[in-house]
Amino acid sequence: MSLSLGSNSQARRSLTIYARRAVLNVAMLLRDSEVARQVRVYLLDMEYAARAQPVENPAPTDVVSLDDRIDQRITHILGKTVVPMFNALIETSGEHRREMIALRAGVQRIERRLHQHHTRLQRLEGLRDDRPAIGVMAAMDAMHGRTFEHHIAKLLRRDGCTNVVVQGGHGDRGVDIIALTADGRRLVAQCKRFAPYLNITSPDVQRFVGSAKVLHSAEVALFVATCPFTPEALSIASEAGITAVHRGVLEEWSAGEPLRVLG
């Protein structure tokens, strides 16, 4: 009995002899296959028909036994019908197996990607102590100038400052807030609520240096702004001992991170 096994690259044929009992055993094992069920029924029917059919007495010269004739008939039937069905079953099973393996590999890749995305989302959405609260800067951008000054005064009180006075307006002598730090140093602050696309320039810082250091003899001077500082303005502030609280630092400060200069 010949079984032809298919492959992806090319078909290979081999000749293998199986007893009908072996084929029947294989068909019995494949319980969930419709083809295997048909093979079992066919083999059993042919076995019964071959043995029930009367056979003439063989001639003395005929050495072929009854069982041999039955085997020949069954072998002929198997070669014409059952073997092609088995070949189709084997090839189909192989294709399904390869498909299932490929599908499993695809599912595993998707699971890995989902796990990676889940980890990234947790990292991005998770609350961290050093991460500014959502909407802090949007809230300050919507404030009026006076409201913004009181917001900065509130942050100063939160960080231990005392005698905090908001004096922005005419006659403020170039500063908006005066206070004492927790350790008793004299503090002044200039508050600028500018649009995020604007900048604090060097002339802005220079004017504040004169007010903070000369007019108020401040030991701690804060220039707080809702926008960035130009590089030159940052350089002047550093040389003059002014703490530039630009947009990024202001966001962290408002979210709970204390200013180092106040400690």
Side-chain angles (χ1 to χ4, degrees):
M1 186 183 309
S2 172
L3 290 182
S4 175
L5 302 179
S7 64
N8 288 336
S9 58
Q10 66 181 59
R12 296 179 298 179
R13 294 182 178 275
S14 62
L15 181 62
T16 307
I17 303 301
Y18 294 100
R20 63 178 182 275
R21 181 178 295 276
V23 177
L24 181 58
N25 286 336
V26 172
M28 294 293 288
L29 290 173
L30 301 175
R31 295 178 301 174
D32 298 330
S33 170
E34 176 61 22
V35 175
R37 188 192 67 79
Q38 296 177 15
V39 170
R40 291 195 300 271
V41 173
Y42 202 90
L43 284 174
L44 294 173
D45 289 347
M46 288 301 100
E47 178 77 9
Y48 175 79
R51 292 188 179 278
Q53 182 177 353
V55 181
E56 297 180 358
N57 293 328
T61 57
D62 189 357
V63 296
V64 179
S65 66
L66 175 60
D67 287 341
D68 290 338
R69 293 181 62 183
I70 293 174
D71 288 345
Q72 290 175 4
R73 179 173 295 184
I74 292 177
T75 301
H76 175 74
I77 293 172
L78 291 177
K80 293 295 185 180
T81 58
V82 179
V83 170
M85 287 191 294
F86 258 101
N87 287 336
L89 177 62
I90 292 172
E91 292 177 0
T92 303
S93 298
E95 292 175 1
H96 288 172
R97 183 174 181 275
R98 287 189 294 271
E99 291 176 359
M100 292 300 295
I101 292 175
L103 180 61
R104 182 180 63 185
V107 171
Q108 289 174 343
R109 286 195 299 270
I110 293 174
E111 287 179 342
R112 287 194 297 269
R113 289 188 179 182
L114 287 175
H115 179 71
Q116 293 172 354
H117 287 307
H118 180 67
T119 303
R120 291 174 183 171
L121 286 175
Q122 283 185 324
R123 185 171 61 251
L124 292 174
E125 295 177 355
L127 294 177
R128 302 179 312 191
D129 293 339
D130 60 345
R131 182 175 180 178
I134 298 174
V136 168
M137 291 309 302
M140 282 187 281
D141 290 336
M143 293 178 181
H144 296 292
R146 191 68 171 175
T147 305
F148 178 63
E149 292 171 358
H150 282 280
H151 174 70
I152 300 305
K154 181 179 179 180
L155 295 179
L156 291 171
R157 295 188 185 97
R158 184 200 70 190
D159 289 350
C161 293
T162 60
N163 299 336
V164 180
V165 177
V166 178
Q167 59 176 24
H170 296 293
D172 59 9
R173 304 181 69 184
V175 299
D176 297 317
I177 300 173
I178 59 173
L180 294 176
T181 64
D183 56 4
R185 290 172 294 164
R186 183 171 177 80
L187 178 147
V188 297
Q190 175 71 277
C191 303
K192 295 294 184 184
R193 196 206 60 78
F194 286 173
Y197 55 84
L198 297 177
N199 289 289
I200 300 299
T201 62
S202 56
D204 297 325
V205 176
Q206 290 173 10
R207 285 192 293 270
F208 179 60
V209 170
S211 298
K213 298 296 183 179
V214 176
L215 297 180
H216 293 277
S217 302
E219 299 173 87
V220 178
L222 306 180
F223 198 125
V224 185
T226 57
C227 63
F229 286 63
T230 64
E232 186 178 1
L234 288 174
S235 177
I236 293 175
S238 178
E239 292 175 1
I242 304 296
T243 300
V245 184
H246 55 72
R247 188 176 182 86
V249 176
L250 176 59
E251 186 176 27
E252 294 178 352
W253 187 26
S254 297
E257 182 72 20
L259 289 178
R260 292 182 180 180
V261 70
L262 301 179

